[in-house]
């Protein structure tokens, strides 16, 4: 009986759970809550809930200072989904998000990490984002020098730029970016694996793989001339030769990271000589790839002794 009485007393004393009406929250409180949301939750959740929540989010442009779609790309599995990224419909979706982010940020957009955007979307965002510091548009086949020149003119605060696999962006854009963006510290100008493109078959269009940039030396020379404050440079699978490589230490004296993975036109000896002239270099990534004999014509190097000397190994690895 005593136990039963105690239980009844506990039930009577238990306070009813308080119900909270989120519609009564002030816009300031809502915006503060939204600042703790992940990008997807903000866009697909809070912004899509109701007009008052959408207005609360729009009242704080800082919520849209970063547009990072990279986790979604990185977590996707290769296959039909990745192949769909190369369609015009997907490109329009990315452009729409880029335009929305630039508009909602109201000049406070500082970081953009997307893929498969176009000149139109990038130009729109660049013209409205003078504070942009990080721009990653890797694998955007529809981005050309036209929009990159606008980036150089409008986004002079850039510190990091990734234009990997953007084959329509040339050395001319690198020159303009270098001259306009004096604070640039990180440049990633990687291209797809052209030595063994099998990993991209069924995802990247074959004609695009065949169009990989051939002017690696000109790009390297432009980088060394106009980007003296670079600390991190990636040129994976670039077709630069010793001519382009030797220009880098003369212009980019502050380099700490140099990534040359897949650069099959370089020799181990040449890389070591260039690295010796970079006094601040902390990380050097050498080509370190297997190159089958079928990838080269014998006439190019003359005889196998020269070929073996070129790659400094018996199994053709650097």
């Amino acid at each position: 009986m005593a136990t039963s009485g105690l239980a009844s007393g506990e039930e009577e004393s238990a306070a009813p759970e308080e119900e909270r009406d989120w519609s009564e929250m002030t816009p300031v409180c809502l915006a503060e809550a939204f600042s703790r949301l992940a990008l997807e939750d903000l866009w697909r959740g809070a912004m899509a809930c109701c007009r008052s929540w959408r207005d609360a989010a729009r009242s704080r442009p800082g919520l849209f200072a970063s547009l990072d779609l990279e986790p979604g790309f990185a977590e996707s599995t290769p296959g039909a989904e990745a192949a769909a990224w190369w369609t015009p419909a997907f490109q329009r979706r990315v452009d729409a998000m880029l335009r929305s982010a630039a508009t909602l940020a109201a000049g406070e957009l500082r970081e953009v990490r997307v893929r498969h955007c176009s000149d139109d979307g990038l130009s729109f965002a660049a013209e409205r984002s003078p504070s942009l510091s990080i721009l990653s548009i890797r694998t955007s086949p529809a981005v050309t020098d036209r929009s990159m020149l606008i980036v150089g003119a409008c986004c002079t605060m850039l510190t990091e730029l990734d234009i990997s696999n953007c084959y329509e962006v040339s050395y001319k854009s690198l020159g303009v970016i270098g001259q306009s963006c004096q604070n640039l510290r990180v440049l990633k100008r990687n291209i797809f694996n052209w030595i063994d493109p099998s990993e991209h078959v069924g995802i990247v269009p074959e004609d695009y793989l065949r169009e990989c940039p051939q002017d690696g030396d000109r790009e390297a020379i432009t980088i060394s001339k106009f980007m003296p404050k670079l600390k991190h440079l990636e040129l994976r699978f670039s077709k630069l030769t010793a001519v382009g490589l030797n220009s880098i230490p003369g212009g980019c004296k502050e380099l700490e990271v140099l990534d040359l993975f897949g650069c099959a036109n370089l020799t181990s000896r040449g890389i070591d000589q260039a690295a010796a002239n970079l006094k601040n270099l902390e990380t050097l990534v050498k080509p370190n790839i297997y190159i089958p004999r079928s990838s080269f014509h014998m006439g190019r190097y003359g005889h196998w002794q020269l070929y073996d000397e070129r790659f400094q190994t018996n199994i053709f690895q650097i």
Side-chain angles (χ1 to χ4, degrees):
M1 294 295 293
T3 303
S4 176
L6 179 60
S8 299
E10 289 180 347
E11 291 177 359
E12 293 176 359
S13 61
E17 184 176 350
E18 181 182 358
E19 295 184 1
R20 298 181 180 180
D21 188 352
W22 281 69
S23 65
E24 296 180 356
M25 291 187 67
T26 65
V28 174
C29 291
L30 283 172
E32 183 63 29
F34 295 162
S35 68
R36 291 166 168 74
L37 296 178
L39 177 66
E40 184 174 359
D41 293 331
L42 175 62
W43 284 72
R44 294 186 176 182
M47 292 280 288
C49 179
C50 61
R51 181 175 180 177
S52 62
W53 283 28
R54 184 165 58 251
D55 291 343
R58 287 178 172 176
S59 69
R60 184 175 292 188
L63 290 175
F64 307 95
S66 174
L67 176 63
D68 186 1
L69 304 184
E70 193 57 36
F73 287 108
E75 293 170 3
S76 299
T77 56
E81 182 180 6
W85 298 343
W86 294 80
T87 63
F90 186 83
Q91 178 180 288
R92 287 193 293 269
R93 290 173 58 191
V94 176
D95 279 351
M97 291 198 68
L98 196 49
R99 289 190 181 96
S100 295
T103 301
L104 293 169
E108 294 188 26
L109 188 62
R110 289 179 171 81
E111 177 183 13
V112 170
R113 297 184 188 274
V114 300
R115 302 188 197 180
H116 296 279
C117 64
S118 74
D119 271 342
D120 292 340
L122 180 58
S123 298
F124 183 95
E127 291 170 346
R128 292 160 177 78
S129 308
S131 299
L132 191 64
S133 174
I134 299 174
L135 177 61
S136 174
I137 51 170
R138 53 181 294 199
T139 318
S140 292
V143 168
T144 71
D145 287 334
R146 179 171 70 87
S147 60
M148 290 307 299
L149 296 180
I150 295 176
V151 170
C154 300
C155 307
T156 58
M157 301 301 292
L158 275 184
T159 60
E160 179 178 335
L161 176 64
D162 187 348
I163 50 173
S164 299
N165 307 325
C166 296
Y167 290 178
E168 296 301 319
V169 176
S170 74
Y171 73 95
K172 296 177 182 178
S173 293
L174 293 174
V176 171
I177 293 292
Q179 294 179 75
S180 303
C181 308
Q182 298 294 319
N183 295 316
L184 194 66
R185 297 293 186 271
V186 178
L187 175 65
K188 300 178 182 180
R189 178 49 166 167
N190 307 310
I191 64 176
F192 286 119
N193 182 351
W194 54 271
I195 299 172
D196 180 15
S198 60
E199 63 181 288
H200 308 301
V201 173
I203 300 176
V204 182
E206 293 184 8
D207 58 344
Y208 193 74
L209 288 174
R210 290 193 295 267
E211 294 173 358
C212 64
Q214 305 293 323
D215 51 357
D217 283 341
R218 183 174 291 183
E219 291 187 357
I221 293 171
T222 302
I223 291 169
S224 67
K225 183 177 181 179
F226 296 111
M227 301 180 181
K229 295 183 180 180
L230 277 185
K231 293 184 179 295
H232 183 120
L233 176 60
E234 294 184 14
L235 297 171
R236 291 190 161 216
F237 292 101
S238 171
K239 292 193 174 184
L240 84 165
T241 67
V243 174
L245 177 63
N246 290 336
S247 70
I248 293 176
C252 305
K253 300 180 183 297
E254 299 181 17
L255 268 186
E256 298 176 358
V257 176
L258 178 59
D259 190 341
L260 300 172
F261 186 84
C263 296
N265 293 331
L266 301 177
T267 66
S268 182
R269 182 182 305 167
I271 293 173
D272 289 339
Q273 290 175 346
N277 294 321
L278 291 168
K279 305 305 180 182
N280 295 329
L281 194 63
E282 299 176 358
T283 302
L284 173 64
V285 181
K286 293 187 176 183
N288 193 30
I289 52 174
Y290 173 75
I291 304 177
R293 296 188 178 194
S294 60
S295 296
F296 297 95
H297 298 292
M298 283 296 295
R300 183 177 181 183
Y301 301 122
H303 50 77
W304 285 109
Q305 180 179 357
L306 178 58
Y307 186 91
D308 289 341
E309 187 276 338
R310 181 177 181 81
F311 294 100
Q312 303 289 310
T313 176
N314 294 327
I315 58 172
F316 314 117
Q317 288 183 328
I318 296 180

